[in-house]
Amino acid sequence: MHLIFIMKCMESYSLFRYFLLAWLITLSLAADEAMDNNSSDIVDPDALVKVEDNSGLTEDEIRQVAKKLDKQEKKKSINKPAHKVRWEDLSPTPIKYDWVQTTSGEWFKGEIKGLYDNKLEFDSDEIGLYFFDFDDIKRIKSYHIISVNIENLASIAGILRLNGNKLTIVQGEQKYEFSKDKVVSFAPDAELEKNFWSGKITLNLDIRSGNSNQSDYAAQANLKRRTAMSNLSFDYLGRISSKDNEEIANDHRLNQKYDRYLTRSFFWTPLFSEYYTDKYKNITAQITLGSGIGYTILDTKKTFWSFSGGPAVIYTRYSTVKEGEKSDDYSPAIELSTKFEQELNAITDFTYDYKLTFSNKKAGVYKHHMIFKFENELLSWLDIDITAIWDYVAHPQAESDGAIPQKNDYQLLFGLGIEF
């Protein structure tokens, strides 16, 4: 659907060929990932492979193997000299649910959604959808098969056990052991496609009346598909405003990004794209396609900071132009971006997202899209979001009557965010 939507907006054969080539590259990369599923079960230290389970055991039989290992570990612990059994040492047996224990000793029952950027996403009936700092997790006992991406080594699917700094993956009749800091990411090795997806929708509404009647509607949406080795995301931001029954703003932005994890810090982006339209900036459609690399500078318990960027091409179709000028334009571009996240306290998170694009004069020369966002948790699935947005274009395209749109555009949004 994303491809069809962009094709209709482009109305350009040349750009369609470029987009089709980029999309085929993405499909090729996805095919490579699928081919890894048939790789040898010998772990090559020079290449990330997928270690397959050739034991022939069913999932329930693998769980029984993991249960035997749990009993052995428990017996070793109890038989330690002068050992005193504490409540937090009495770990539960996973039946239909995954279990995680925090460093404070509390156990939580639910479903592991995935680990990315040192954040464990966990869905529980008691606390809802919740993100734990991986450093705050002491133990994990999974019921479901989990696919684990080990840094510079392999992707291994199996029953997951974490005890302190020791990570054990039970696959068939074998077990693989690693230190906790070698884990790049993990996700359920699920058969159901829906288990790979998560998202958030934020709705903003402002209606005023009196000397003038004004209404502002804005929406933000984020949708992600995450596996142990890749991350596909879609981000939408849209706004429609009217004053005294006359429309004064109408703009929409849709971003797509596909990342492949290479190490804990290094990733590459085979394809990123953006569709943007702004009726009052004289832009009917602007489409960006590119590829790049990225690096995570800081990834701690409360702070995350990464940079990424790469070459791109921009196609722009203008609503109106001066007589004798073309209504569309192609431009090579360089796109750079950074993302900074900070946990301010137990219920408030801050995110700074900045994207900078250099292009030719008709595409704007220099433009940026900057977002400041505060997310304040009300419930495990409900936030109050405060978002500030600053868009800037150094050289806006003049309309047919010679009017030049403003370079700056500011938004301040207050809304409710629903996670799913």
Side-chain angles (χ1 to χ4, degrees), residues 221-330:
N222 172 262
L223 186 63
K224 291 182 179 180
R225 183 189 187 273
R226 296 176 293 189
T227 70
M229 299 179 66
S230 65
N231 183 18
L232 173 64
S233 64
F234 298 91
D235 291 286
Y236 169 78
L237 174 63
R239 173 185 57 164
I240 298 177
S241 298
S242 62
K243 185 175 182 180
D244 295 330
N245 295 322
E246 182 179 348
E247 188 179 78
I248 58 175
N250 190 332
D251 54 86
H252 306 271
R253 185 188 302 268
L254 177 64
N255 284 279
Q256 169 271 333
K257 196 166 185 275
Y258 175 58
D259 295 327
R260 292 291 301 272
Y261 301 105
L262 300 180
T263 69
R264 179 186 293 272
S265 299
F266 185 70
F267 60 91
W268 77 296
T269 307
L271 178 65
F272 62 81
S273 65
E274 178 183 85
Y275 171 78
Y276 175 66
T277 177
D278 191 333
K279 182 178 178 180
Y280 297 93
K281 282 190 177 178
N282 196 27
I283 297 176
T284 299
Q286 187 172 77
I287 299 160
T288 304
L289 295 167
S291 181
I293 58 175
Y295 189 81
T296 301
I297 297 175
L298 191 61
D299 190 358
T300 66
K301 182 178 178 180
K302 294 188 176 183
T303 308
F304 173 82
W305 189 16
S306 70
F307 280 90
S308 62
V313 62
I314 299 176
Y315 168 77
T316 308
R317 177 174 290 276
Y318 302 102
S319 302
T320 62
V321 294
K322 292 181 180 179
E323 187 176 352
E325 292 187 358
K326 293 175 60 178
S327 62
D328 56 7
D329 177 69
Y330 300 90

Side-chain angles (χ1 to χ4, degrees), residues 89-336:
D89 294 329
L90 301 176
S91 62
T93 299
I95 300 177
K96 294 186 179 180
Y97 297 98
D98 305 313
W99 288 85
V100 299
Q101 184 188 34
T102 63
T103 52
S104 65
E106 295 177 281
W107 280 98
F108 295 91
K109 179 183 74 172
E111 181 182 354
I112 293 172
K113 305 293 288 185
L115 174 77
Y116 307 93
D117 297 333
N118 212 38
K119 298 287 186 180
L120 176 65
E121 187 176 355
F122 193 75
D123 193 7
S124 168
D125 290 339
E126 289 77 18
I127 61 175
L129 188 63
Y130 194 81
F131 290 84
F132 293 97
D133 289 314
F134 197 37
D135 294 338
D136 291 338
I137 298 300
K138 180 181 179 181
R139 301 185 68 179
I140 295 177
K141 301 183 75 173
S142 79
Y143 172 81
H144 299 94
I145 302 294
I146 305 294
S147 181
V148 186
N149 184 1
I150 303 299
E151 185 172 16
N152 295 326
L153 191 61
S155 174
I156 307 174
I159 298 295
L160 183 63
R161 294 290 186 267
L162 175 68
N163 191 350
N165 194 47
K166 177 184 174 183
L167 180 81
T168 303
I169 306 169
V170 181
Q171 186 187 82
E173 297 176 333
Q174 300 186 38
K175 67 175 183 178
Y176 301 88
E177 295 182 350
F178 305 94
S179 62
K180 182 179 179 181
D181 58 7
K182 293 298 182 182
V183 178
V184 175
S185 58
F186 58 70
D189 195 45
E191 296 179 359
L192 295 177
E193 176 66 18
K194 69 176 184 178
N195 290 335
F196 292 121
W197 294 87
S198 63
K200 181 177 181 179
I201 296 176
T202 302
L203 302 176
N204 309 269
L205 173 63
D206 182 11
I207 299 177
R208 287 167 280 178
S209 62
N211 293 325
S212 64
N213 297 316
Q214 183 168 336
S215 59
D216 301 292
Y217 306 92
Q220 303 173 65
N222 172 262
L223 186 63
K224 291 182 179 180
R225 183 189 187 273
R226 296 176 293 189
T227 70
M229 299 179 66
S230 65
N231 183 18
L232 173 64
S233 64
F234 298 91
D235 291 286
Y236 169 78
L237 174 63
R239 173 185 57 164
I240 298 177
S241 298
S242 62
K243 185 175 182 180
D244 295 330
N245 295 322
E246 182 179 348
E247 188 179 78
I248 58 175
N250 190 332
D251 54 86
H252 306 271
R253 185 188 302 268
L254 177 64
N255 284 279
Q256 169 271 333
K257 196 166 185 275
Y258 175 58
D259 295 327
R260 292 291 301 272
Y261 301 105
L262 300 180
T263 69
R264 179 186 293 272
S265 299
F266 185 70
F267 60 91
W268 77 296
T269 307
L271 178 65
F272 62 81
S273 65
E274 178 183 85
Y275 171 78
Y276 175 66
T277 177
D278 191 333
K279 182 178 178 180
Y280 297 93
K281 282 190 177 178
N282 196 27
I283 297 176
T284 299
Q286 187 172 77
I287 299 160
T288 304
L289 295 167
S291 181
I293 58 175
Y295 189 81
T296 301
I297 297 175
L298 191 61
D299 190 358
T300 66
K301 182 178 178 180
K302 294 188 176 183
T303 308
F304 173 82
W305 189 16
S306 70
F307 280 90
S308 62
V313 62
I314 299 176
Y315 168 77
T316 308
R317 177 174 290 276
Y318 302 102
S319 302
T320 62
V321 294
K322 292 181 180 179
E323 187 176 352
E325 292 187 358
K326 293 175 60 178
S327 62
D328 56 7
D329 177 69
Y330 300 90
S331 171
I334 294 292
E335 183 170 296
L336 305 173

Side-chain angles (χ1 to χ4, degrees), residues 69-80:
L69 292 175
D70 290 340
K71 290 181 178 179
Q72 293 174 8
E73 290 290 330
K74 185 176 181 180
K75 187 176 181 180
K76 289 179 183 179
S77 177
I78 293 176
N79 290 337
K80 286 182 179 179

